[in-house]
Amino acid sequence: MSRATVSRVVNGVRNVAPDIQRSVRDAIARIGYTPNQAARSLVTRRTGTVALVLSATGRSFTARVFSDPFFGRVVDGVLPVLRRRAIQPVLLVAESEQARTQLVEYLRQGGADGALVVPLDENDPLPAMLMAAGLPTVLFGRPRDGEQCGFVDLDNAAGARLAAEHLWATGRRRPALIAAPVTAPTAGERLDGFMEALAAHGVTAVPVVRGRFTVDSGRRAMARLLKDHPRIDAVFAANDLMAQGACQYLREQGVAVPGTVAVVGFDDSVAARKARPQLTTVRQPVERMAAAMAGLLVEQLDGARSEPGAKVFEPVLVVREST
Amino acid sequence: MSRATVSRVVNGVRNVAPDIQRSVRDAIARIGYTPNQAARSLVTRRTGTVALVLSATGRSFTARVFSDPFFGRVVDGVLPVLRRRAIQPVLLVAESEQARTQLVEYLRQGGADGALVVPLDENDPLPAMLMAAGLPTVLFGRPRDGEQCGFVDLDNAAGARLAAEHLWATGRRRPALIAAPVTAPTAGERLDGFMEALAAHGVTAVPVVRGRFTVDSGRRAMARLLKDHPRIDAVFAANDLMAQGACQYLREQGVAVPGTVAVVGFDDSVAARKARPQLTTVRQPVERMAAAMAGLLVEQLDGARSEPGAKVFEPVLVVREST
DNA sequence: AGGTTTCGGGAGAGCGCTCTCCCACATTTC
DNA sequence: GAAATGTGGGAGAGCGCTCTCCCGAAACCT
């Protein structure tokens, strides 16, 4: 029997007589034969692998990634899409300049067929590097000007406006903002959206403190706000973790939530339901976005589309107990 | 110029005249040449890649992994060791039976040269599957009987004893335990160690509630303990997250920590310092253990040792404010 | 019956590297 | 001066697959 026949059986292409198929499979099982992926890749120019890259330019990278449920949601969204197509998902972390270079080299050399990139910081050079390397790439979040890669994104400004309008509608007139770190890709949009919506109501001065997307930074931010602006009656935090921290602090200080101060979060992560009181928050459908991101890449790899696609999701306000 | 010469330059083997080296490198840079990893692997039977596998048999896998700083610490420990040797670290998640099978197949086919496995649950079949596939494997945590793979581990029983002795020495006579989930690899050791040490002092009945390694489960466990055993004067939690949750609950109930109830955690993670009050805890040097784990695998891959090695670390008690 | 299509399977090239030979030439040694 | 030694570089096999071509046999048409 020729190698070609075996290859046909293993890859399920063209017709092979059923009995021959069976005998081939038997032999494979008996010998414990495993096809060599390297040899296969060499000729197919495919690896059957897609990389999910978490990239950051700042420090304390892993501490951020492995304590924010956000990334787990991304993984949750991506996995089933890839598994369904028998594509092996591979998580890559790019925590430093050196790591980024090594990673691009690795992918260029055929480490994966494409990359799903989740940049933690704005101005991350990785997407541009991957595009330059000619690797099919889809981003979580809008690419910088000129970068022609696929992406999924949330209309962050709209989300922030939802929060602002809700606070205004419920009678809050002195809102404050716990903003995302300046370096976060979403920082600008969420801040601007919130401010604009309030400005439309004549509120021009809004106290702003930057947080770092962690519970602890939310506490500290809340402490600062309360000290500098004791009369605020609402807080919008750029993610749920910070909102949770804010709630904790307010509670400890005996400030009633939502009685005295209303709190709105962002993401609708598990933290929103765990916070006391449960958080009103802007829902970001991270899992669906991540699944769409994987879908766009797969389409591109299948050649279904030559141009990388894009998809923008609309946020929804989820009202719970904190407003 | 022959392919052989280029190969020699790229891989830096044998002598090549400096000027030829330079011209080769120039050409590489000019053409934008990238060696094909598949072709290289085909002949060298190496990929230059090591897999770090997070495996669990239970559910809500990603939620656990991406909200417990423990895994970030493992990654932190592993990365530098591999980067130093120019080995590409690849994170793989095995969240289901199907995923595990696919993953083993992937690695068998040459997805990586070896695997570092962090099992989240006891009785995880993955290590045995990898050994059967003939893949060099090192475990975080002791392998089950009969599995001949390398591992690093902490003397968990000793850690629990440290906690018990400390509580006893500081005058606590009615301690309780917030234990790890039954399925956790460390659950038995930490429970037994704690119980034995107390038994040696004549304390035979210790209230035990199982937690799930999360802050929230720690709160709930503490609530149960306090309700069923209002007179307890100390709590040992099997990790810092649960200890933090316990502290939060106690605080909210107006129970003084450490005044009325002392709390000891386990791990010495960032959560220990973030908790109010700061946690007395059993330090597990996760980063060093993870680095050692990577080191053991690298040694095995280098052929420095044929038998897989093992290393057991000793815990240390860190006294802070909660006792 | 002869010709044409369909179908199953073999032969063999070639994917892009590495690595072992081997050879040409320079340098040293007796 | 010839032989021994060293040094740099080319030739070519071969890693384990896939895939195109081709061929023989069976099935279908006219």
Side-chain angles (χ1 to χ4, degrees):
Chain A
M1 187 169 308
S2 76
R3 302 185 300 281
T5 308
V6 176
S7 176
R8 278 192 280 265
V9 171
V10 171
N11 294 311
V13 294
R14 271 190 31 184
N15 300 348
V16 177
D19 52 337
I20 295 218
Q21 275 196 38
R22 202 167 336 105
S23 76
V24 169
R25 288 189 201 289
D26 283 358
I28 286 178
R30 196 153 26 80
I31 310 291
Y33 165 83
T34 303
N36 180 317
Q37 183 57 44
R40 196 178 253 179
S41 294
L42 185 56
V43 35
T44 59
R45 328 209 125 255
R46 281 300 190 102
T47 62
T49 293
V50 157
L52 174 58
V53 188
L54 303 179
S55 178
T57 53
R59 58 200 55 175
S60 71
F61 171 73
T62 53
R64 270 197 283 170
V65 169
F66 288 95
S67 57
D68 192 332
F70 175 81
F71 301 98
R73 295 178 69 190
V74 173
V75 173
D76 265 339
V78 166
L79 286 188
V81 177
L82 298 181
R83 298 254 190 248
R84 208 174 305 132
R85 312 233 183 182
I87 296 174
Q88 178 66 38
V90 153
L91 227 70
L92 263 28
V93 293
E95 80 282 10
S96 66
E97 196 53 44
Q98 186 212 359
R100 251 183 300 280
T101 312
Q102 276 188 19
L103 187 148
V104 171
E105 198 56 15
Y106 171 70
L107 292 178
R108 251 168 71 94
Q109 296 184 355
D113 296 334
L116 301 167
V117 181
V118 186
L120 277 69
D121 298 310
E122 196 154 31
N123 299 326
D124 190 317
L126 190 65
M129 293 166 78
L130 291 174
M131 293 306 287
L135 201 79
T137 302
V138 180
L139 247 62
F140 196 105
R142 203 171 293 272
R144 288 186 293 181
D145 296 341
E147 283 167 21
Q148 294 273 337
C149 57
F151 68 92
V152 295
D153 198 11
L154 184 80
D155 189 339
N156 285 287
R161 282 196 296 270
L162 284 177
E165 294 298 348
H166 172 66
L167 290 174
W168 184 265
T170 52
R172 309 290 171 166
R173 293 295 177 267
R174 295 180 303 281
L177 174 62
I178 300 181
V182 244
T183 57
T186 57
E189 288 183 53
R190 292 187 192 171
L191 190 146
D192 293 352
F194 191 67
M195 297 303 200
E196 278 169 22
L198 289 176
H201 290 295
V203 181
T204 51
V206 177
V208 177
V209 175
R210 296 276 175 190
R212 287 173 18 175
F213 277 158
T214 64
V215 176
D216 226 47
S217 72
R219 300 174 69 107
R220 285 197 301 271
M222 193 66 241
R224 269 253 316 270
L225 283 174
L226 218 53
K227 181 157 155 280
D228 298 347
H229 308 272
R231 296 187 61 242
I232 55 176
D233 61 1
V235 171
F236 170 48
N239 81 341
D240 286 339
L241 256 30
M242 295 193 296
Q244 190 184 0
C247 284
Q248 282 179 17
Y249 185 80
L250 289 169
R251 213 176 172 199
E252 287 169 20
Q253 298 297 313
V255 178
V257 178
T260 309
V261 175
V263 176
V264 179
F266 205 112
D267 279 352
D268 194 21
S269 67
V270 286
R273 291 193 160 280
K274 288 215 176 133
R276 313 290 157 96
Q278 291 195 358
L279 290 175
T280 291
T281 186
V282 178
R283 174 174 296 160
Q284 172 169 219
V286 180
E287 292 86 352
R288 276 173 43 218
M289 291 169 70
M293 173 170 70
L296 287 175
L297 183 62
V298 168
E299 276 179 20
Q300 203 179 333
L301 294 180
D302 286 351
R305 58 165 82 226
S306 54
E307 286 303 292
K311 207 161 182 179
V312 176
F313 289 73
E314 286 303 319
V316 175
L317 186 77
V318 182
V319 180
R320 295 211 181 86
E321 307 165 353
S322 67
T323 58
Chain B
M1 189 168 306
S2 77
R3 304 185 299 282
T5 307
V6 176
S7 177
R8 278 193 280 264
V9 171
V10 172
N11 295 310
V13 294
R14 272 188 32 181
N15 300 348
V16 177
D19 52 337
I20 296 220
Q21 276 196 38
R22 203 168 335 106
S23 77
V24 169
R25 289 189 200 289
D26 282 359
I28 287 178
R30 196 152 27 80
I31 309 290
Y33 164 83
T34 304
N36 180 317
Q37 183 57 45
R40 195 178 253 179
S41 295
L42 186 55
V43 35
T44 59
R45 327 209 126 256
R46 281 300 190 101
T47 62
T49 294
V50 157
L52 175 57
V53 188
L54 302 179
S55 178
T57 54
R59 58 201 52 176
S60 71
F61 171 72
T62 52
R64 269 197 283 169
V65 169
F66 289 95
S67 56
D68 192 332
F70 175 80
F71 301 99
R73 296 179 68 189
V74 173
V75 174
D76 265 341
V78 167
L79 287 188
V81 177
L82 297 181
R83 298 254 190 249
R84 208 174 306 133
R85 312 234 182 182
I87 297 174
Q88 178 67 36
V90 153
L91 227 71
L92 261 30
V93 293
E95 79 284 11
S96 67
E97 197 53 45
Q98 186 210 0
R100 248 182 302 278
T101 312
Q102 276 188 21
L103 186 148
V104 170
E105 198 57 17
Y106 171 70
L107 293 178
R108 251 169 69 93
Q109 295 184 357
D113 297 334
L116 302 167
V117 181
V118 186
L120 276 68
D121 298 310
E122 196 153 32
N123 299 326
D124 189 319
L126 190 66
M129 293 166 77
L130 292 173
M131 292 306 287
L135 201 79
T137 303
V138 180
L139 248 63
F140 196 105
R142 205 171 291 272
R144 290 186 293 181
D145 295 342
E147 282 167 21
Q148 294 274 336
C149 57
F151 69 91
V152 294
D153 197 12
L154 184 81
D155 189 339
N156 285 286
R161 281 196 296 271
L162 284 177
E165 294 297 349
H166 172 67
L167 290 174
W168 184 264
T170 52
R172 310 290 170 166
R173 293 296 178 267
R174 296 179 303 280
L177 173 62
I178 300 180
V182 243
T183 57
T186 57
E189 287 182 54
R190 290 186 194 172
L191 190 145
D192 293 351
F194 191 66
M195 297 303 199
E196 277 170 22
L198 290 176
H201 289 296
V203 182
T204 52
V206 177
V208 176
V209 176
R210 295 275 174 191
R212 286 172 19 174
F213 277 158
T214 64
V215 176
D216 226 47
S217 73
R219 299 173 69 107
R220 286 197 301 271
M222 193 66 241
R224 270 255 315 273
L225 282 175
L226 218 51
K227 182 157 155 280
D228 297 348
H229 308 273
R231 296 187 62 241
I232 55 176
D233 61 1
V235 172
F236 170 48
N239 81 341
D240 287 338
L241 255 31
M242 295 194 296
Q244 190 185 359
C247 283
Q248 282 179 17
Y249 185 80
L250 289 170
R251 212 175 173 202
E252 287 169 21
Q253 298 298 313
V255 179
V257 177
T260 309
V261 175
V263 178
V264 178
F266 205 110
D267 279 353
D268 194 21
S269 66
V270 287
R273 292 192 160 279
K274 286 213 176 133
R276 313 289 156 97
Q278 293 195 358
L279 290 175
T280 291
T281 186
V282 178
R283 173 173 296 161
Q284 174 170 215
V286 180
E287 291 86 352
R288 275 173 44 216
M289 291 169 69
M293 173 169 70
L296 287 174
L297 182 61
V298 168
E299 276 179 19
Q300 203 179 333
L301 294 179
D302 286 351
R305 58 165 81 223
S306 54
E307 286 304 291
K311 207 160 179 180
V312 177
F313 289 73
E314 286 303 318
V316 175
L317 186 78
V318 182
V319 180
R320 295 210 181 86
E321 307 164 354
S322 67
T323 58

